[in-house]
Amino acid sequence: MAHRSPRLVAALEGVGVRRATTDQLILDGVDWSVRAGEHWALLGANGAGKTTLLRLLGAAMFPTTGTVEVLGNRLGRVDVRELRAHIGHVSTTQRVPQDATAHTVVLTGATGSVQPLWRKYDAAAREQAQELLAELDCKELADRPFGVCSGGQRARVLIARALMPAPSLLLLDEPFNALDLPSREDLIDALHRLAVTRPDLATVTVTHHLEELPPSTTHALLLREGRVQSGGPAAEVLSSERLTRCFGRAIEVTSQDGRWLARSGRAV
């Protein structure tokens, strides 16, 4: 019996992006595909194009050249508002009412709104929000105002919010930003559990630190100056040689128990 590849979640072919105001080339000739159940790390120096690539996957912008297909829909030929409802997006810069409880913040994920739309939430949605808080190991935060939650707690609440519409693709834009060590490890554990309990979910995580990648990371994409430097299975891509070439600085990569550690020496 022939082996069937997992469903294609996103596909980019020959993608280029230019900034309209300055004509600066941000992405150049990017070819990339993401399949169901894959968990990608997206790495590169500041200005490499990581955020732009994530915005394309999130149907938040269009390419200048090339094609982008997300969940079987080509950008430019689909109502992006409808498409975005099936894509989970988590960023520490998201606007969230600070006085809203964690449960309310998760509920707003059902409508994709900043403020709660109470008439839209039935008993099933409220129960789902509670279950997602439990799944992210923060059910005790249900009645706590979002503004007084710690950075790690906020990150997990925002992930629960992004999972409300049961997305096939989850985009994580530097979710570990400014977290202390215990909070970072709690979030890594939560993401690892998600990979186990939701085998069809695909994730793409933008990060600057290999230490933040959970053991469930399957693939990695390295960007340098808007071009794909390397992409493929994490065990192959996250090597000293490839990271050194990507960042232009001597980097030593070691791994243990499914986790990575990167150390930098002199510039090359």
Side-chain angles (χ1 to χ4, degrees), residues 91-159:
S91 170
T92 53
T93 62
Q94 282 173 290
R95 291 184 303 136
V96 173
Q98 299 297 294
D99 58 345
T101 65
H103 182 260
T104 297
V105 170
V106 176
L107 263 181
T108 62
T111 46
S113 56
V114 175
Q115 297 292 338
L117 304 177
W118 293 112
R119 293 183 180 180
K120 299 281 188 178
Y121 311 133
D122 57 15
R126 294 167 188 267
E127 178 63 26
Q128 183 187 1
Q130 291 283 14
E131 291 172 356
L132 284 169
L133 284 170
E135 185 176 358
L136 272 297
D137 198 25
C138 51
K139 64 179 180 181
E140 74 282 358
L141 304 177
D143 297 323
R144 185 178 301 179
F146 185 81
V148 301
C149 292
S150 70
Q153 291 168 341
R154 291 186 193 193
R156 283 181 283 152
V157 169
L158 290 177
I159 291 172

Side-chain angles (χ1 to χ4, degrees), residues 33-105:
S33 61
V34 177
R35 294 186 176 275
E38 293 181 347
H39 302 286
W40 284 80
L42 184 53
L43 298 126
N46 288 335
K50 302 185 299 297
T51 297
T52 298
L53 197 48
L54 213 62
R55 292 190 69 206
L56 289 170
L57 289 178
M61 66 180 298
F62 297 93
T64 308
T65 58
T67 61
V68 177
E69 289 196 6
V70 183
L71 305 181
N73 298 280
R74 180 172 295 189
L75 298 191
R77 299 182 182 177
V78 64
D79 184 339
V80 292
R81 292 169 301 180
E82 186 175 321
L83 180 57
R84 287 178 200 142
H86 301 284
I87 303 168
H89 197 167
V90 176
S91 170
T92 53
T93 62
Q94 282 173 290
R95 291 184 303 136
V96 173
Q98 299 297 294
D99 58 345
T101 65
H103 182 260
T104 297
V105 170

Side-chain angles (χ1 to χ4, degrees), residues 202-218:
T203 66
V204 177
T205 302
V206 171
T207 181
H208 287 288
H209 306 288
L210 297 192
E211 296 78 14
E212 295 174 347
L213 297 177
S216 50
T217 303
T218 60

Side-chain angles (χ1 to χ4, degrees), residues 240-258:
S240 300
E241 178 186 358
R242 296 193 187 191
L243 267 294
T244 294
R245 202 161 62 238
C246 179
F247 288 94
R249 187 179 188 90
I251 295 176
E252 179 188 350
V253 178
T254 56
S255 62
Q256 183 177 359
D257 300 327

